[in-house]
Amino acid sequence: MAGEYLICTDQAGVKSYLPLDTTYMKKVKGGYTINLNATKTVKIKIKNASSTSSYTDVDAADAKAVAWVVKNKIMEPTSKNEFYSKAICTKGDVFNALYKANGSPTPKALNHFPDVKSTDSYYKAALWAVDKGLIEYGIFEGKYAYQRGYALYYVWQSIGAPKASQKSTFTDYKDWVFYADAVAWAESRGIIKDNGDHKFRPDDAVTRVELAKFIYYAYK
């Protein structure tokens, strides 16, 4: 049966996916049984992949966030089956998503950005950001890749800069940098997690799935 698989995790934490066909299994309460040439019967609980994510390039852990931003028309998939989750976001992409998350209001600010045109997809988003007090006039640079530290900072700012409930465990930036409180807040909320190396990597470009998660947990 398409979309059903067994998730196996080895001692190193590496996951692999074993396709399953329930046609040859016996359905029982809570799952299925299958003959694995073992001395005991092994019960397997089947979970349909389509119930966690409709996009082939989105992990199950990120499925809710992606589904939510798509449903609320904050971000769009690239096709029926792909979200293009690992693609890098530009500054325009980030502010466009924030603008849509706030209901796409008609901006009142005039366009004094020398590099923003009315034909740009992020035109209204840039002006809305000025209205909101998130940014000031200058060079907007909407077509350039945006860093994780900046993206998380503006998501955090757009919801009122809430305080963190605990100090961050990340050590790859100084406590005084502008996004430090945003990172601490996101970590305390479980939006981002320390995988053990204490690296947030604020200078890396933010991906589409990361932006979707930032916005989902901030706005939902």
Side-chain angles (χ1 to χ4, degrees):
M1 187 177 292
E4 294 175 342
Y5 53 87
L6 176 66
I7 302 176
C8 304
T9 306
D10 63 17
Q11 293 180 342
V14 177
K15 291 184 177 181
S16 57
Y17 299 83
L18 175 65
L20 298 174
D21 187 348
T22 57
T23 304
Y24 302 99
M25 300 181 193
K26 181 180 179 181
K27 185 173 178 61
V28 296
K29 185 178 181 180
Y32 293 81
T33 58
I34 184 173
N35 186 2
L36 296 178
N37 294 322
T39 57
K40 295 182 179 180
T41 301
V42 178
K43 184 182 287 188
I44 301 173
K45 187 174 183 180
I46 304 295
K47 189 171 186 180
N48 197 318
S50 62
S51 66
T52 56
S53 178
S54 58
Y55 304 108
T56 58
D57 61 341
V58 175
D59 293 336
D62 304 326
K64 287 185 178 180
V66 171
W68 188 84
V69 297
V70 171
K71 179 181 178 180
N72 288 278
K73 298 181 180 181
I74 296 170
M75 298 177 71
E76 297 180 355
T78 55
S79 70
K80 182 178 179 180
N81 299 318
E82 292 186 332
F83 183 68
Y84 211 33
S85 61
K86 295 183 180 180
I88 291 172
C89 292
T90 64
K91 183 177 181 179
D93 292 332
V94 171
F95 279 91
N96 219 8
L98 288 177
Y99 172 64
K100 292 178 180 179
N102 281 270
S104 303
T106 300
K108 298 179 181 179
L110 298 177
N111 183 19
H112 295 305
F113 292 107
D115 61 338
V116 175
K117 299 178 181 179
S118 60
T119 54
D120 290 330
S121 61
Y122 48 82
Y123 172 73
K124 290 184 178 180
L127 300 184
W128 165 82
V130 174
D131 284 343
K132 187 81 173 178
L134 297 177
I135 59 174
E136 297 179 351
Y137 291 116
I139 304 298
F140 186 70
E141 297 184 327
K143 298 180 181 179
Y144 291 90
Y146 216 40
Q147 297 170 321
R148 296 181 77 225
Y150 278 90
L152 181 56
Y153 172 76
Y154 284 113
V155 171
W156 174 72
Q157 280 283 331
S158 72
I159 60 171
K163 293 183 179 180
S165 60
Q166 62 189 43
K167 187 177 180 180
S168 176
T169 62
F170 296 109
T171 59
D172 59 340
Y173 59 85
K174 302 296 183 182
D175 290 340
W176 45 260
V177 297
F178 67 92
Y179 51 77
D181 289 340
V183 175
W185 166 79
E187 187 179 5
S188 68
R189 286 285 308 276
I191 301 173
I192 55 176
K193 296 181 180 180
D194 188 341
N195 61 15
D197 65 357
H198 309 308
K199 303 292 184 182
F200 171 63
R201 296 178 175 82
D203 296 330
D204 287 358
V206 65
T207 64
R208 278 171 54 83
V209 73
E210 288 174 332
L211 179 60
K213 288 167 63 178
F214 291 168
I215 292 177
Y216 170 72
Y217 287 106
Y219 280 86
K220 184 178 180 299

